[in-house]
């Protein structure tokens, strides 16, 4: 016998999976040899049973049934267990529904940071949004080390119709044009990307020229100090 006799997985997004527990029990008075255990139906599989094996009288063995929908829509299948029991072919019916994955968008799709002094940083805001179904964002990679992403802790699930803010920062490491691409990995039907560009400019060099005329004041020399802020402190 199977406990339960059938399994209903409910809904699962295409690309994800659901697992339900089941067990086989020998309710008879003698041992049973189970020779085969197979799953049929698109997206259904089993794990935890290594056949052949002997199930003694009154014993049970657990196993798992897995539903990994291949497409949107209703799915059905079964688990067939072959043995030398009085019911040599046991069938466990399986049902589930595949739902279309959500869509992930990033706005804006491109950011331009303009001219930024080397060694300093400039930031701009963006947002990640899910539509159609919830989306779980698992990774975010950048093609250039001069750009960075903050404001989000991964993994994160975004409900359909909702969005989360993120911050992109440009920190040029050298003078010249810089570009990069943010690639966001998720279980969405698409891969969201954002193009990034900016220009690193060298820091402006400043100089100060000081001069004076000694008027026979008797002063032997001068000490010149550079203040850290306007107006001092200095003597």
């Amino acid at each position: 016998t199977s406990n339960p006799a059938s399994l209903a997985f409910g809904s699962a997004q295409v690309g994800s999976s659901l697992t339900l527990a089941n067990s086989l029990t020998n309710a008879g008075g003698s041992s049973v040899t189970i020779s085969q255990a197979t799953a049929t139906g698109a997206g259904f599989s089993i794990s935890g049973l290594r056949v052949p094996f002997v199930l003694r009288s009154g014993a049970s063995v657990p196993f798992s049934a897995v539903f990994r929908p291949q497409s949107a829509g209703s799915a059905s299948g079964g688990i067939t267990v072959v043995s030398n029991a009085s019911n040599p072919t046991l069938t466990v019916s399986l049902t589930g529904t595949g739902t279309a994955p959500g869509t992930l968008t990033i706005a804006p799709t491109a950011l331009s940071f303009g001219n930024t002094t080397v060694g300093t940083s400039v930031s701009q805001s963006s947002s990640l949004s899910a539509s159609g179904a919830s989306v779980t964002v698992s990774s975010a990679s950048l093609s250039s080390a001069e750009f960075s992403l903050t404001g989000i802790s991964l993994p994160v699930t975004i409900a359909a119709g909702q969005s989360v803010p993120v911050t992109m920062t440009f920190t040029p490491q050298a003078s010249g044009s810089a570009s990069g691409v943010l690639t966001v990995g998720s279980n969405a039907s698409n891969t969201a990307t954002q193009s990034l560009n900016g220009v690193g400019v060298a820091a402006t060099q400043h100089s100060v020229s000081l001069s004076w005329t000694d008027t026979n004041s008797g002063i032997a020399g001068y000490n010149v100090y550079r203040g850290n802020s306007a107006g001092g402190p200095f003597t």
Side-chain angles (χ1 to χ4, degrees):
T1 61
S2 169
N3 182 29
S6 62
L7 293 172
F9 287 89
S11 298
Q13 280 190 21
V14 174
S16 65
S17 64
L18 290 175
T19 301
L20 294 178
N22 204 327
S23 64
L24 297 175
T25 300
N26 180 1
S30 59
S31 296
V32 169
T33 298
I34 297 174
S35 55
Q36 293 182 32
T38 57
T40 58
F44 296 103
S45 62
I46 60 174
S47 63
L49 289 180
R50 299 181 62 181
V51 293
F53 65 94
V54 176
L55 191 62
R56 60 181 175 80
S57 175
S60 297
V61 59
F63 69 96
S64 297
V66 180
F67 176 45
R68 185 176 286 102
Q70 307 299 303
S71 60
S74 299
S76 61
I79 296 173
T80 301
V81 180
V82 178
S83 70
N84 64 347
S86 58
N87 54 332
T89 302
L90 172 67
T91 301
V92 181
S93 63
L94 306 172
T95 58
T97 301
T99 59
T103 301
L104 182 68
T105 57
I106 184 167
T109 57
L111 288 177
S112 180
F113 292 88
N115 293 340
T116 304
T117 302
V118 173
T120 65
S121 298
V122 61
S123 298
Q124 293 191 37
S125 298
S126 299
S127 64
L128 291 168
S129 303
S131 59
S134 64
V135 172
T136 297
V137 178
S138 55
S139 65
S141 61
L142 287 155
S143 62
S144 171
E146 293 183 297
F147 300 93
S148 59
L149 170 70
T150 56
I152 188 172
S153 180
L154 301 177
V156 63
T157 298
I158 306 172
Q162 301 297 311
S163 62
V164 295
V166 295
T167 300
M168 297 304 304
T169 301
F170 174 46
T171 306
Q173 299 173 3
S175 299
S177 298
S179 62
V181 176
L182 168 66
T183 302
V184 182
S186 70
N187 64 345
S189 59
N190 64 307
T191 299
T193 60
Q194 183 182 57
S195 60
L196 309 165
N197 67 80
V199 178
V201 295
T204 303
Q205 300 298 314
H206 300 280
S207 63
V208 176
S209 177
L210 301 176
S211 64
W212 58 89
T213 301
D214 183 40
T215 56
N216 297 317
S217 61
I219 297 174
Y222 297 86
N223 292 322
V224 181
Y225 299 91
R226 179 176 183 267
N228 293 324
S229 59
F234 50 81
T235 300

